[in-house]
Structures are given as C-alpha cells and as structure tokens.
Amino acid sequence: MTRTEPPAPGHAADTPALRLMNLALHGLFFALLGVLLVRGTVGGDLGAGALATAAALAVVYAAGGPVGRIRDSRAWAWLWLGAVVLLWIALTLQHPEFCYLAFPLHFLCLHLLPVRRAVAAVAGLTLIVVAAQAGTAGGLTTAKVLGPVAGAAVALLTAYGYAALYRESRERQRLIDDLMRTRGELAATQREAGRLAERQRLAREIHDTLAQGLSSIVLLARAAESALPADPATAASRIHEVGRTASANLAEARRFVHALTPPALDDVTLTEALRRLAQGASADFHLDGEPHPLPVEAEVALLRLTQEALANAVRHARAGRIAVTLAYLDDEVTLDVFDDGVGFDPRARSGGGRRTFGLHGMRERIAALGGSLTVESAPGEGTAVAAALPLQATVPAEAGAR
C-alpha cells in the first residue's frame, strides 16, 4: 500500500510504528468495504454496476502496495489517490452506505497531500458524503450533516496530533544520533589521549633506561680508548664495565618490551636496589624509617628518579660528593638526591638537552602517582632533587583491601 505519512510529504515510513499505522489504516478500509459489500449483497441492494465498481475500487486500492512507482513517487501516489477517490465517489452515488469509507480516505488525503490541499480534499469528501446522505430516505437532516463533519474533524485532529508526535520522534532520534556521534568522538579522543600518554611513557622509559645505558657505554669506551696503550689494566677494566653495562641495558630492553618491572628490582627490595645504584655511582646511601612494600609503579618511579639524578650528577655536575636518602615517614615516602657539583639554572629550559627532558620525565612520573618533585640548584652551588609520594599513592592494592 501507499505509505502512510504525516502531513509533510516526502518522509519515509521507516519505523515499526509507522508501518503498524499503515496496516491499521488499510485494514480499516478493507474491513469497512467488506462489511458494506456483505450487507449490500445480503440485502439485495447492490446491483451489478455497484459490485463491479466496488471490485475495481478494491483492486486499485490494493495496487498501492506492489506498484513501486506508486510507493516511491509523489506524482504517482497522487494519481493513485485520485483514482481511489473517483471510484469511491462513483460507488457512493450508487449506494450511499459506502460513504463510511470516507473516514479512512480522510487519512489518506492528510498523509499524502500537502496541508492546504489535504484540508480542501477532506472538506470535499465531507460535502460528497453529505450530498449522498441527502439522497437517502428522510432527506437531509442535522444528524446527517453533523456526522460527516464530526468524522472529518476527528480525522483532522488525529492526523495532526500524530504529525506532532512524529516530529517529536524525529527530533528525539536526531538527538540520539547526536549523542551516539558525540560518544564515538569522545571514545576516539580517549583513545588518542591514551596513545599520547603511552608515547610519553615510552619516551620516559627509553630515556631513563636505554639512553642512559648507551651513554654510559660511550663514556666507558672513550675512557678505555684513552687508557690504551699506556694503561692496559685500566682499559681492560673499562671494557669489562662496557660489557656489564651493555648486558644490563639488554636486560632492561627485554623487560621493557614485555612491560615488566626493571631488572634492578628483581628479587630485591627498593632499598637494596637504590643502595646498589648509589654504590655504582660512588654515592652515599641513607635509609630513614622502617621500609615497607610499595606498589610496583611507585618503586619503578623512585628507581628511575634515582637513576636520572645520579646520571646527571655523574655526567654533568662533576660532583665530588653525592648522597641518596630514602625515607619512610608516617604519611609519605620521600627520596632526596644531593650533589655538590657545578649546578645549573632549573628555569633555563632552552638548550637544556638531556637534562631538561630528564627533569620533565621525572616530574611526570611522580605527578602521575599524586606526588611532588622539587629541584633546587644554582650555578656553582650543587643540585638537590627531592620527591615525595603520599601514603595513599604508595600503599599496595592488596594491603588496602585487607
């Protein structure tokens, strides 16, 4: 059948509710037509001409479904509606009881025609019904006028009420589509933020592990080269250190790829790992308070911080004394790395190179755990790096669950 639409032609009936209303409307037409045919046939009031007209009306009306041009073309739909109305008029003039079919025809006009034409068509159908009723027994009465007018009014109010609901449904669907699109954009933004965060994490890991190890290898190789051939023993020692550093760096790279904890924390506590780092850099290590287990993220952050601070002190500061202090307090864990080297200006970021990137990476690591990082330095006055992690950020998850 031709699709039932709201008074704005051109919209597709593509929802279950619209399809159900189509079926209800067309079912009403055929039900009324069947009842009137049965009644007229049983009463013997229908002649051959009326039966032929009724059959033609049923066939033409049913053609609104299978004929594609009628379903998809406004012009063909109007031609189809005109043929249906003309056949109905002919049938009503022969047998006035068929004027009851005007009610479903009202809806067809309201759904297929523009607003002004639809109202005019409904008024015209109503006048035809009144005229047909005037030719029945008893002539034209008030009831025979008010009945068709009331039916037309009900059809108009129902159609426009449905149109309002249809517009509201379309607006709601538009809002839902906007929401789904916004949710998709938000998900894409979150994925991009996660990707950028992972890139920053990888950059920090590479700087704190592979880059530092490779830099150490370069320095040791130069020292070995300068010791040859005058001091073979020193050169051999430096070459041994190169091999040891390269092996440690390889282990870091493998563990880094598998996103596991640093090898320096394998089977040892954070305190022991920091003590080894300090000894490797000829630094003093101090422990204050009673050590307790920390989450892997906190231990890794403090380990990387110590590595970066010691690397800066050894390579850039030319320090005579370096001190590392790990303190377990009541409400936080602190780490301090001090050296008496040449110092630098922390505010001078331009041209800072590796040191500037290292400081930025350290701050990001500590800030990600809710902690704070302070770097105090000045040219000729040494450098002090102090980090503090609050207790709630360093309590292991299994401990907090107990």
Side-chain angles (χ1 to χ4, degrees), residues 9 30-31 58 66 139 156 184 215-216 243 286 295 297 315 347 355 363 380:
F30 281 108
L156 284 170
S215 179
S216 297
H286 303 281
E297 295 83 357
R315 298 169 195 161
R347 295 172 297 179
R355 175 172 296 199
R363 285 195 175 91

Side-chain angles (χ1 to χ4, degrees), residues 310-324:
L310 290 176
N312 287 336
V314 171
R315 298 169 195 161
H316 306 294
R318 301 191 296 274
R321 179 176 178 272
I322 307 174
V324 179

Side-chain angles (χ1 to χ4, degrees), residues 38-216:
V38 170
R39 180 176 176 178
T41 302
V42 172
D45 298 331
L46 291 179
L51 288 174
T53 305
L57 176 60
V59 171
V60 172
Y61 193 101
V67 179
R69 286 183 296 179
I70 291 178
R71 288 181 287 112
D72 300 327
S73 171
R74 176 182 299 184
W76 279 94
W78 289 356
L79 289 174
W80 171 81
L81 177 62
V84 169
V85 171
L86 290 176
L87 288 172
W88 168 78
I89 292 174
L91 185 60
T92 301
L93 293 178
Q94 297 177 58
H95 201 289
E97 282 196 0
F98 283 92
C99 66
Y100 290 109
L101 292 174
F103 190 72
L105 293 181
H106 288 333
F107 285 103
L108 283 182
C109 293
L110 290 169
H111 293 319
L112 293 177
L113 299 176
V115 176
R116 294 182 179 179
R117 293 184 181 181
V119 173
V122 169
L125 294 178
T126 303
L127 290 177
I128 292 172
V129 172
V130 172
Q133 291 291 331
T136 60
L140 188 62
T141 62
T142 302
K144 293 180 180 179
V145 174
L146 293 180
V149 172
V154 170
L156 284 170
L157 293 176
T158 302
Y160 283 103
Y162 160 70
L165 292 177
Y166 178 81
R167 288 191 294 270
E168 181 179 350
S169 176
R170 290 290 296 269
E171 178 64 19
R172 186 172 301 173
Q173 184 62 44
R174 186 188 65 80
L175 294 176
I176 293 175
D177 293 341
D178 290 343
L179 178 61
M180 296 298 293
R181 183 172 59 257
T182 302
R183 189 170 68 174
E185 293 174 354
L186 178 60
T189 302
Q190 290 175 339
R191 287 193 297 269
E192 179 65 15
R195 187 181 68 84
L196 293 176
E198 183 65 11
R199 287 182 61 181
Q200 291 178 347
R201 186 187 71 82
L202 293 175
R204 290 195 302 267
E205 291 288 350
I206 292 173
H207 175 271
D208 294 343
T209 57
L210 304 182
Q212 289 186 8
L214 293 174
S215 179
S216 297

Side-chain angles (χ1 to χ4, degrees), residues 264 272-283 303 306-307 310:
E272 184 61 28
L274 297 187
R275 191 188 305 276
R276 291 179 181 178
L277 286 176
Q279 291 175 352
S282 301
L303 177 69
T306 305
Q307 288 176 327
L310 290 176

